[in-house]
Amino acid sequence: MQKTTTTTMPTPAAASTAAVSPPGTAADSGVVSTPMAAASASLTHSGNKSRERGDSFGDSSGPAGIKSEQQQHKKDGEMEEETTISAKQQEIPMAIHYMASFHEICVVTALLPLVTLFTCFVTAYVFQYDDVHETHCRVYNIVPSISAITGVSPQRYFWRFSIALHIGPRIPIAFVYKNYYRAQLARLAPSLVPKTSWLITLILVLNCIEIAALGGVTYISNRENYPVHERIFITFMICSLCYMLATIKLNSILNARQTLTEHQRLSIKWKKILFVASILSTIGLLVFFAKHRFYCHDLAFSWFAFFEYLIAIANMLFHFTIIWDFPSQFMLIVQGPPETLKNHLAGKPKLN
C-alpha cells in the first residue's frame, strides 16, 4: 500500500491571519485585525442597529396596529351585515295586503258622529226627557243640549264609542291634508312659499288641537267636571273656527288663477258657506248663553242648545267636504323593502 500525503494550502485569509504585526498593534493584545474582519464587524453592527430600530418601531406601533386591525374587522362585519340585510330585503316580495277607498273611509268617519248624535237626541228626548232638560235656572226648555243628551246613560257610552272610532281616522287624515297641500306649493311664486308653508303647519296644529278637544269634551262630561268641560269646549270652538278660516285662506292662495275642477269648486263653496254658518251660530250661542246664565230667561237654554247643534253639524259637514278633496284616492297596506318602495314612489308624479 502506498502512503498518501495530503497537503493543505493556506487560504489568503489564513495567510493574512498568520502575518506578524508590528509591535504596538492589535496583535500585541491578542486581537488580529484584517480587512474581512472589519467588514464583518461593520455588517454585524449595522444589523444590530437595524434590529434595534425594528424592535423600537414594533414597540411603538404595536397598540396602534392592533387598534387599526380591530377597526378593519368591525368595518368588514358591518359591510357583511349590510350585505345580508340587503339580500334579505331583495328576497321580500312586493305585495298589497289591504286596499280601501279613502273616499269611503272619509264618508264613514264624517257621518259616524252625526248619526250617533241624532240617535242620542231621539232616545234621550223620548225616554229621559226630565233628565236632559234639567238646568240650574229651573225654567222651561224644550231642546236639550249636546252635553245633556250625551251625558246620560246609556247614551254616553254610545257617544264615547262613536267618537273613539271617529278620532282614529281623523289623525292620519290631518297629515294627509298636510301632504296634499304641500304638494301644491310648486305652483306658487317663490315669495309665497314660506308664508304658505307656515299656514299649512298652522292648519295641521289647529286640526290636531280640535281633535284632542273633541275627545276632551266627550270623555269629561259637564256632570262630572263642569269647569274643565267648559274650558275644553271653548278651546274646541276657537280651534274649529280658526281651522275653517285658515283652510279657506289657504285654498284661496293655492287656487289663485287656477282652473278648478267641479269637485274643487264644490269643496271651496261649501267650506265658505259652513264657515259663515258657524260664525253666525257662535254669535247666537253666546247671546243666549248669557241670557240663560245671567237672566234665566225662558227658552234661552233651548236657543243656546239649538245654536250648539248648528255649530256641531256645520263642523261635521265642513270636514265632510273631504269627499270632494279626495274623490278617487285609496289607502294601501303594502309589503316590500323600504328602499324599493321609496324608489318606486319617487318615480311617480305627485299631485299639483
Side-chain angles (χ1 to χ4, degrees), residues 318-346:
F318 187 94
H319 291 289
F320 190 72
T321 59
I322 192 174
I323 65 173
W324 292 309
D325 295 331
F326 303 101
S328 59
Q329 281 73 14
F330 291 88
M331 181 175 290
L332 304 176
I333 297 178
V334 184
Q335 170 188 296
E339 293 300 326
T340 304
L341 294 175
K342 289 178 182 178
N343 294 335
H344 177 73
L345 295 175

Side-chain angles (χ1 to χ4, degrees), residues 125-334:
Y125 200 90
V126 172
F127 299 107
Q128 295 161 295
Y129 184 88
D130 293 334
D131 293 337
V132 297
H133 284 91
E134 182 182 356
T135 64
H136 75 283
C137 288
R138 306 287 181 181
V139 294
Y140 178 69
N141 291 297
I142 58 174
V143 180
S145 67
I146 295 177
S147 299
I149 64 173
T150 60
V152 295
S153 179
Q155 286 82 357
R156 73 160 65 97
Y157 307 116
F158 187 34
W159 175 249
R160 290 176 180 180
F161 179 73
S162 172
I163 293 300
L165 295 178
H166 171 78
I167 289 177
R170 278 196 61 182
I171 296 174
I173 287 174
F175 287 89
V176 169
Y177 258 121
K178 184 201 73 169
N179 295 331
Y180 168 74
Y181 290 137
R182 287 193 181 277
Q184 302 180 58
L185 291 177
R187 68 172 65 158
L188 299 180
S191 59
L192 295 176
V193 172
K195 175 184 175 182
T196 310
S197 180
W198 178 84
L199 187 59
I200 292 172
T201 303
L202 176 63
I203 288 173
L204 175 64
V205 172
L206 290 173
N207 199 357
C208 291
I209 295 175
E210 179 190 337
I211 294 170
L214 176 60
V217 296
T218 299
Y219 291 97
I220 304 176
S221 68
N222 61 340
R223 294 172 180 267
E224 296 171 349
N225 195 329
Y226 180 78
V228 174
H229 177 88
E230 183 181 41
R231 287 172 175 80
I232 297 177
F233 178 74
I234 293 172
T235 302
F236 172 82
M237 290 287 300
I238 294 174
C239 290
S240 175
L241 293 174
C242 291
Y243 169 78
M244 292 181 180
L245 179 61
T247 301
I248 294 171
K249 177 62 176 178
L250 177 63
N251 278 280
S252 67
I253 295 174
L254 294 176
N255 297 311
R257 297 184 298 276
Q258 298 290 329
T259 303
L260 302 179
T261 64
E262 182 64 23
H263 285 147
Q264 289 175 323
R265 284 195 292 269
L266 283 173
S267 176
I268 294 172
K269 172 186 173 181
W270 280 102
K271 280 181 170 67
K272 291 179 179 179
I273 292 173
L274 294 169
F275 172 68
V276 172
S278 296
I279 290 291
L280 295 177
S281 299
T282 301
I283 295 173
L285 179 140
L286 293 175
V287 170
F288 285 101
F289 178 78
K291 288 185 176 182
H292 168 71
R293 173 65 67 88
F294 301 110
Y295 303 104
C296 288
H297 287 179
D298 287 344
L299 297 178
F301 189 78
S302 295
W303 281 106
F304 164 82
F306 172 75
F307 286 113
E308 186 182 27
Y309 284 108
L310 289 182
I311 291 171
I313 293 172
N315 178 272
M316 295 176 193
L317 293 179
F318 187 94
H319 291 289
F320 190 72
T321 59
I322 192 174
I323 65 173
W324 292 309
D325 295 331
F326 303 101
S328 59
Q329 281 73 14
F330 291 88
M331 181 175 290
L332 304 176
I333 297 178
V334 184

